[in-house]
Amino acid sequence: MKITKLFKDFFESEKAGGFILIACTLLSLFLANSIWSENYLHIWHYHLGNHPIEYWINDGLMTIFFLLIGLELEREIYAGELSNIKNALLPISGAIGGMLLPAGLFLLLNFGTKTQSGAGIPMATDIAFALGILSLLGNKVPTSLKIFLTALAVIDDLGAIMIIAIFYTGDLNWINLIIALSIFGGLLILNRLKVHNLIPYLIGGLFIWYFMLNSGVHATITGVLLAFAIPFSTGCEKSPSIILQHFLHKPVAYFILPVFALANTAIIINSDWHFALTNNYTLGIALGLIVGKPIGIALFSYLAVKLKVCNLPEDINWKAIIGVGFLGGIGFTMSIFITLLAFSDREHIDNSKIMILVSSLVAGIIGLLFLKSVLKKNYNESN
């Protein structure tokens, strides 16, 4: 199966970014619980304008991350795995199962309580971490499996973005929202007129972000809207969408996501921290990521193949799909992001973050060991 250079670049940047995220998370946890704790936490709470630095990271820099996700999704739709509906239905089915079952398990424990708003937390997959773990298995990983996980994670993130837009939107300011959508409409017209200069799109994107920020809809949605306004054209190297995607790979992987990790894993861990993991909402997160993700991804993929709506690639088997399902349970970035929207009090936020880290670690280790066993056996049989 042919892999485009852009996919290789994306996979490599996300793979390296995953390792950097791990290092930043460990560093942040260490500093937050060291003698430098007060000074370190003060950095993220220091105000720039009317908001702390962590606000600008989560509502500003992360918009660029969402822009890259949108551009990757656009590439997948026009020229990648999702361009062929038969091929696309396998990761789409897996992603749907990987969102519905974790949310259902969370609600099973939290429905009707004040923490039910956290149902979106275990629904997300962290692309960087998941691909980073998969890369540890080297050349034993079939190409189809890499593409399946990448497409699955991208669709998963799109689902998370839609959930944010629908369920985590505050009181709407209709005037600002209409202005933002009108600017978006103007950029779509430029696209139809075949205006390929990136500058008007980027300037328009800044204005969309400003009005979206003040509309009640989370400002990061701007990133995805802007991605689909930017022309993909023929998908060649001179395509505005491809040029911007190339440009954003390294800043997102090596700066934006690491800074997000530093700012949002600065958690003070008390001696009795493990008691917080027995709450219904933390148990719901663990159950969703460690159990719901692999079962949902594998089950829905299996049903889609059995119903003949798609085919399983020849170079992978169902055990490999289950292994990828566990890697899908690595929530991290998007799960933490949704936590910040779902809960407002520090205790719920910090407890959820700790459980996300623990669950993602467990899911990642299980996925790595499971896939190592499965792929090693397949590799030996083929040689």
Side-chain angles (χ1 to χ4, degrees), residues 71-92:
L71 292 170
E72 172 61 16
L73 181 64
E74 184 181 41
R75 187 200 68 79
E76 288 285 349
I77 290 173
Y78 286 117
E81 182 73 0
L82 305 183
S83 60
N84 182 310
I85 188 63
K86 193 79 171 178
N87 294 335
L89 285 172
L90 182 63
I92 288 174

Side-chain angles (χ1 to χ4, degrees), residues 135-147:
S135 72
L136 294 176
L137 298 170
N139 59 8
K140 295 184 180 68
V141 182
T143 297
S144 295
L145 198 62
K146 295 178 183 177
I147 293 176

Side-chain angles (χ1 to χ4, degrees), residues 4-14 64 67-69 71-72 74-75 198 230 232 235-254:
T4 65
K5 181 178 182 298
L6 193 60
F7 174 79
K8 288 182 179 178
D9 291 344
F10 182 81
F11 183 82
E12 291 299 321
S13 66
E14 292 293 342
I64 301 174
L67 171 59
L68 179 60
I69 293 297
L71 292 170
E72 172 61 16
E74 184 181 41
R75 187 200 68 79
L198 272 170
I230 294 173
F232 183 78
C236 65
E237 292 297 312
K238 294 183 179 180
S239 162
S241 178
I242 301 300
I243 290 172
L244 186 58
Q245 192 177 347
H246 272 307
F247 177 80
L248 291 178
H249 274 162
K250 287 181 171 58
V252 168
Y254 303 141

